[in-house]
Amino acid sequence: MDFYGHVIDGEEVPSADGAEFDSIDPYRREPWARVALGSAADVDRAVRAARRAFDEGPWPRMGLAERGAVLHRLAGLLERNAEEMGLSDTRDMGKPITQSRDNDVFRAAANLRFFADHARLSTAETLPMDSGHHAYTRFEPAGVVAAIAPWNYPLMLATWKVAPALAWGNTVVLKPAEDSPVSATKLARLALEAGMPPGVLNVVHGRGPDSAGQALTEHPGIDRITFTGASSTGRVIARAAAANLVPVSLELGGKGANVVFADADLANAVEWSIKAVYTNTGQVCLAGSRIYVQRPIYEEFLARFVAAAEAMVIGDPCDAATQIGPLASEQHYRKVRGYVETVESAGGKILTGGLGDGWTVRPTVVVDMPQTAPHCTEEIFGPLVVISPFDTEQEAVELANNTRYGLNAMVFTENLHRAHRVSARLRAGTVWVNCFFIRDLRAPFGGVGDSGVGREGGSFSREFFTEPKAVIIDVKRD
Ligand code: NDP
């Protein structure tokens, strides 16, 4: 079995105390990689390296074009190694290979390219003052960034954090999730190959609570924390950030509502609704896990949706035909299984799906579920959707907004006025109309309520990963 170390100060190293853990392939349910298990001592080494690279190294002082060229080279290396990078995530957490290799790796590369170019092409406001003074803004790098990534999009979400942080001249300590560690070490190896100076991108593996993750967020040498994961973890991390007065960006859970009006293009609505809840086996914060369908088309929608769900190919995620793999870990499988097993006692009915082999849950469709049931209020993070009917636009908006989450929502309608009207009333960070998952990296991304704090993307990432500085110059008059 191959070993994957921490990457600290340009070297791949074991843990200071020699501790290791197995990364488990959730389809084969056996270890497939050995990984360094970090502790506070390893985090401290990494933060010190990142601090040295920030205070003394070339990275923050480099021109934007030169820094951008390194990020573009790294993107190219990811693309050239797509097979290996995709397979790492697939073996670590069971994502179908067509999603990891053909989508996530290229999205990761696009993140690096986009933020390199966005930083290089950014302009800053200049304010000629009536007094004759001249004020302008500089975007100084913030310092050492702690990036804590989840296991559902290991490489893609790591780069979503790392790319803007690095493009703006920060140095980074990345802690991937213990369920999906391998692609992070490979990313850091490729960064060195691309010419990134030592200490600029460091990776420390390890657990979250009482371990490497907690040590990183509590470390006094950190200047920014960016986190994606569970809302409950977000609260813990926000407290750590508050103690050190460190700005924090939190991308947390979701309970996406997907509202299908009777005038929708039904084939389009079914196709996107299936993707919205079953992509990555439902392990997506944006998952459209509550579908509300207007009553005149409810039965027709259900029939088409169930047929499409039953046609999905379940199996070995390394097989290109597979659309639904296992859940990412035994622990997560047990959580999702709990929701499947309690559908009936909570008042609902399973139309199709249920438990599969190993740690697999089949695409599951639930109806007749009371809106107060945990299945309608909690983030399940698996391939289970609750479909409910509604009558009026007002009722649809109320149902969609009846959640403590507010990451995203979807609206399917051919009525332009309704599309605008409902989009404006939905309490969510992103609303998709007649589509799903389409992103422009310049647009804000984040959630309201329990779905997060802050926005990332384009100039929103610039605000977070820099310290905007006002420079005011006295211009002498004749
Ligand atoms: P977590 O929020 O616990 O994990 C996300 C990341 O945070 C991991 O890298 C984890 O490390 C780390 N972490 C955990 N606790 C701490 C801490 N106290 N300090 C610093 N870092 C910490 O998610 P889980 O893996 O436990 O998943 C539970 C649920 O969270 C899922 O079922 C899903 O509902 C939701 N989730 C949402 C995601 C999203 O995209 N919004 C992504 C992942 C999960 P480690 O895993 O190594 O312990």
Side-chain angles (χ1 to χ4, degrees):
M1 243 184 320
D2 289 338
F3 175 76
Y4 297 88
H6 312 296
V7 179
I8 299 176
D9 214 5
E11 304 279 338
E12 190 169 336
V13 293
S15 292
D17 62 4
E20 297 179 3
F21 69 103
D22 286 330
S23 181
I24 309 291
D25 174 330
Y27 181 72
R28 289 161 186 81
R29 288 177 284 158
E30 61 186 27
W32 82 282
R34 288 289 289 169
V35 183
L37 179 63
S39 64
D42 302 297
V43 166
D44 189 54
R45 268 198 296 170
V47 174
R48 283 174 195 279
R51 173 58 57 195
R52 256 194 322 278
F54 185 78
D55 288 345
E56 300 160 24
W59 190 254
R61 289 151 202 93
M62 242 179 220
L64 285 160
E66 197 183 347
R67 213 153 57 207
V70 176
L71 296 174
H72 274 279
R73 277 201 297 278
L74 176 55
L77 285 169
L78 286 180
E79 287 159 348
R80 279 200 288 289
N81 290 282
E83 184 75 35
E84 186 190 335
M85 297 304 293
L87 201 55
S88 301
D89 283 353
T90 291
R91 294 297 305 275
D92 261 351
M93 51 71 69
K95 183 190 295 267
I97 189 73
T98 49
Q99 293 172 31
S100 55
R101 180 192 58 205
D102 304 342
N103 179 69
D104 295 8
V105 177
F106 291 89
R107 248 308 297 281
N111 286 341
L112 291 160
R113 293 191 192 285
F114 169 81
F115 283 109
D117 294 344
H118 184 265
R120 187 171 55 82
L121 298 173
S122 266
T123 54
E125 220 176 10
T126 300
L127 306 164
M129 296 167 65
D130 286 352
S131 59
H133 296 82
H134 200 79
Y136 64 92
T137 311
R138 288 179 54 86
F139 290 96
E140 310 287 6
V144 177
V145 172
I148 302 195
W151 44 260
N152 56 336
Y153 283 85
L155 177 66
M156 201 282 275
L157 283 177
T159 56
W160 174 244
K161 301 176 173 314
V162 163
L166 293 178
W168 284 105
N170 301 284
T171 59
V172 173
V173 180
L174 166 67
K175 195 207 84 68
E178 73 189 81
D179 287 329
S180 57
V182 171
S183 60
T185 289
K186 289 185 175 174
L187 175 71
R189 287 178 186 165
L190 292 179
L192 293 169
E193 195 181 326
M196 201 171 283
V200 171
L201 174 58
N202 306 275
V203 171
V204 179
H205 299 290
R207 306 212 163 87
D210 302 320
S211 183
Q214 188 175 334
L216 181 58
T217 56
E218 292 176 355
H219 199 291
I222 291 297
D223 299 296
R224 290 287 185 280
I225 302 173
T226 168
F227 167 79
T228 300
S231 304
S232 52
T233 313
R235 285 194 167 81
V236 175
I237 289 179
R239 275 197 288 275
N244 286 332
L245 278 183
V246 172
V248 60
S249 166
L250 303 172
E251 288 182 19
L252 308 175
K255 192 72 188 170
N258 175 353
V259 182
V260 184
F261 286 95
D263 63 12
D265 172 340
L266 196 53
N268 182 59
V270 171
E271 189 182 331
W272 281 117
S273 302
I274 286 277
K275 283 188 188 146
V277 73
Y278 297 134
T279 298
N280 200 19
T281 317
Q283 300 164 122
V284 184
C285 51
L286 301 164
S289 53
R290 297 180 294 146
I291 305 182
Y292 298 106
V293 186
Q294 208 162 16
R295 210 171 297 269
I297 59 161
Y298 181 66
E299 294 301 333
E300 171 73 7
F301 181 93
L302 270 187
R304 291 197 196 196
F305 190 94
V306 165
E310 287 176 346
M312 295 191 87
V313 180
I314 305 167
D316 183 346
C318 293
D319 184 338
T322 296
Q323 294 169 295
I324 298 279
L327 291 162
S329 65
E330 181 173 13
Q331 188 189 6
H332 188 56
Y333 166 70
R334 286 179 189 283
K335 172 185 159 180
V336 178
R337 187 178 71 181
Y339 287 100
V340 175
E341 288 174 342
T342 52
V343 165
E344 283 185 11
S345 59
K349 191 169 99 188
I350 293 183
L351 279 191
T352 187
L355 303 180
D357 297 333
W359 297 341
T360 303
V361 171
R362 294 187 285 135
T364 300
V365 179
V366 172
V367 292
D368 300 342
M369 185 60 94
Q371 293 299 311
T372 48
H375 304 73
C376 290
T377 59
E378 296 173 5
E379 183 176 50
I380 296 175
F381 227 59
L384 187 155
V385 67
V386 178
I387 308 185
S388 316
F390 70 89
D391 291 300
T392 65
E393 185 178 306
Q394 173 67 19
E395 186 191 356
V397 169
E398 283 170 12
L399 285 165
N401 285 344
N402 183 21
T403 170
R404 60 195 174 99
Y405 294 110
L407 194 55
N408 63 294
M410 279 157 274
V411 181
F412 289 90
T413 177
E414 294 296 296
N415 180 326
L416 182 66
H417 305 286
R418 173 177 283 145
H420 283 291
R421 210 164 48 226
V422 175
S423 301
R425 293 184 63 198
L426 289 170
R427 194 174 154 270
T430 300
V431 177
W432 278 289
V433 179
N434 296 332
C435 61
F436 174 66
F437 244 159
I438 309 296
R439 293 282 308 280
D440 184 316
L441 301 187
R442 293 169 296 185
F445 182 79
V448 301
D450 277 9
S451 288
V453 174
R455 296 289 184 276
E456 292 186 25
S459 48
F460 300 91
S461 293
R462 177 180 72 179
E463 295 303 317
F464 181 70
F465 288 112
T466 63
E467 291 287 2
K469 176 193 286 174
V471 180
I472 296 118
I473 299 187
D474 184 12
V475 180
K476 286 214 162 58
R477 274 142 287 184
D478 295 335

